[in-house]
């Protein structure tokens, strides 16, 4: 008698309907991101031209506005704060736990965990990524690849924010017949840190709220929530 594996293989969905179902979460957020970006561009263009009119300066076309430092700094300052949120959350949840939160690991699992728990090296499975089975620098890099990529995107977007921010700031300075700042001086300016910290505080508050509120509140069927009937003290359990 042939022995059948106890593992179940998810059905393969063929064609466009299957692709949409299998990738619905990513596609939904990509679509809403693009809609929000377009909406921001339209609203930002109108606001920019209102400022130009108030300063009795020539207004710009929509396509021209998309190349301005004003639009670029508004976009990049939001991106860097979002990726800072993910960078910190991915990093600190390795070591820090929160009793009762589905956003936390179980209380006894703080740290990088063993090779067996992480399915690397000799404990890798048939479907494990090649670099998880490898040793040396490849496993080391892949073991921290999510944190490295999130951190890199954060730093790059923060750099873009600083460059486009000083350009936008200096344009405003020149319109008011005031002296512009160098990039190095702008990094210590109130405008730069006001833009930066107002985004950081909102992202950090949102993460803290999710980690704590999910201890006591539920959303049936969501992997971001515990099962409706789970105890408040249940940690690292997803519904």
């Amino acid at each position: 008698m042939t022995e059948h594996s106890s593992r179940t293989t998810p059905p393969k969905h063929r064609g466009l309907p299957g692709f949409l179902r299998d990738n619905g979460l990513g596609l939904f957020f990509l679509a809403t991101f693009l809609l929000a970006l377009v909406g921001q561009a339209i609203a930002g263009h109108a606001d920019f031209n209102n400022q130009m009119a108030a300063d009795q300066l020539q207004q710009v076309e929509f396509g021209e506005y998309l190349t301005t430092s004003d639009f670029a700094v508004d976009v990049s300052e939001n991106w860097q704060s979002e990726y800072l949120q993910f960078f910190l959350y991915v990093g600190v949840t390795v070591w820090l736990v929160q009793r009762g939160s589905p956003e936390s690991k179980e209380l006894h699992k703080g740290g990088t965990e063993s090779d067996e728990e992480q399915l690397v090296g000799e404990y890798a499975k048939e479907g494990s990524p090649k670099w998880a089975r490898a040793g040396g620098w490849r496993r080391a890099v892949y073991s921290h690849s999510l944190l490295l990529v999130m951190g890199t995107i954060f730093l790059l977007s923060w750099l873009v924010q600083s460059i486009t921010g000083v350009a936008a700031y200096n344009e405003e300075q020149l319109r008011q017949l005031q002296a512009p700042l160098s990039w190095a001086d702008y990094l210590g300016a109130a405008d730069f840190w006001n833009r930066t910290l107002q985004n950081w505080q909102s992202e950090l508050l949102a993460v803290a709220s999710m980690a704590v509120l999910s201890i006591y509140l539920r959303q049936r069927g969501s992997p971001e929530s515990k099962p409706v009937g789970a105890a408040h003290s249940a940690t690292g359990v997803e519904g």
Side-chain angles (χ1 to χ4, degrees), residues 70-144:
D70 288 75
F71 178 67
V73 70
D74 287 342
V75 172
S76 59
E77 72 182 31
N78 285 294
W79 286 19
Q80 60 89 3
S81 64
E82 294 291 346
Y83 280 100
L84 172 66
Q85 172 194 149
F86 287 122
F87 171 73
L88 290 177
Y89 199 71
V90 169
V92 301
T93 51
V94 174
W95 301 99
L96 304 183
V97 296
Q98 176 64 55
R99 180 183 293 275
S101 177
E103 300 297 317
S104 167
K105 295 195 294 186
E106 295 178 44
L107 300 179
H108 66 281
K109 289 188 175 181
T112 55
E113 303 178 8
S114 66
D115 287 355
E116 183 176 6
E117 290 174 309
Q118 287 293 307
L119 304 178
V120 297
E122 62 181 300
Y123 301 104
K125 303 297 184 181
E126 181 181 349
S128 297
K130 291 182 179 179
W131 281 30
R133 294 196 295 268
W137 67 270
R138 288 182 297 173
R139 187 196 304 175
V141 169
Y142 192 68
S143 295
H144 303 284

Side-chain angles (χ1 to χ4, degrees), residues 7-237:
R7 294 180 302 174
T8 57
T9 303
K12 294 182 179 179
H13 303 288
R14 299 182 182 277
L16 182 59
F19 175 81
L20 294 176
R21 175 176 177 175
D22 291 350
N23 300 280
L25 187 60
L27 291 172
F28 171 79
F29 281 104
L30 177 60
T32 52
F33 158 72
L34 293 175
L35 288 173
L37 185 61
V38 170
Q40 177 190 347
I42 294 172
H45 175 240
D47 182 59
F48 184 81
N49 277 338
N50 288 339
Q51 294 179 21
M52 292 296 101
D55 292 338
Q56 298 182 338
L57 297 173
Q58 183 177 358
Q59 299 185 1
V60 301
E61 298 294 333
F62 181 71
E64 185 179 354
Y65 170 72
L66 296 181
T67 65
T68 63
S69 55
D70 288 75
F71 178 67
V73 70
D74 287 342
V75 172
S76 59
E77 72 182 31
N78 285 294
W79 286 19
Q80 60 89 3
S81 64
E82 294 291 346
Y83 280 100
L84 172 66
Q85 172 194 149
F86 287 122
F87 171 73
L88 290 177
Y89 199 71
V90 169
V92 301
T93 51
V94 174
W95 301 99
L96 304 183
V97 296
Q98 176 64 55
R99 180 183 293 275
S101 177
E103 300 297 317
S104 167
K105 295 195 294 186
E106 295 178 44
L107 300 179
H108 66 281
K109 289 188 175 181
T112 55
E113 303 178 8
S114 66
D115 287 355
E116 183 176 6
E117 290 174 309
Q118 287 293 307
L119 304 178
V120 297
E122 62 181 300
Y123 301 104
K125 303 297 184 181
E126 181 181 349
S128 297
K130 291 182 179 179
W131 281 30
R133 294 196 295 268
W137 67 270
R138 288 182 297 173
R139 187 196 304 175
V141 169
Y142 192 68
S143 295
H144 303 284
S145 55
L146 182 59
L147 189 68
L148 290 171
V149 170
M150 290 294 183
T152 299
I153 296 176
F154 160 65
L155 291 174
L156 290 176
S157 57
W158 200 17
L159 176 62
V160 171
Q161 178 201 335
S162 69
I163 295 172
T164 56
V166 70
Y169 181 82
N170 283 338
E171 288 176 4
E172 181 67 21
Q173 289 289 94
L174 292 174
R175 286 198 294 267
Q176 297 177 2
L177 303 179
Q178 298 182 22
L181 294 180
S182 67
W183 177 72
D185 290 336
Y186 181 71
L187 293 182
D191 182 80
F192 176 69
W193 287 105
N194 178 50
R195 287 179 174 273
T196 295
L197 293 174
Q198 68 178 317
N199 285 283
W200 286 10
Q201 53 87 14
S202 62
E203 300 300 337
L204 297 174
L205 176 62
V207 173
S209 299
M210 186 63 185
V212 176
L213 291 178
S214 59
I215 298 173
Y216 306 103
L217 306 180
R218 310 286 190 269
Q219 176 55 56
R220 186 168 184 156
S222 174
E224 300 303 316
S225 166
K226 293 186 287 190
V228 177
H232 291 328
S233 60
T235 307
V237 179

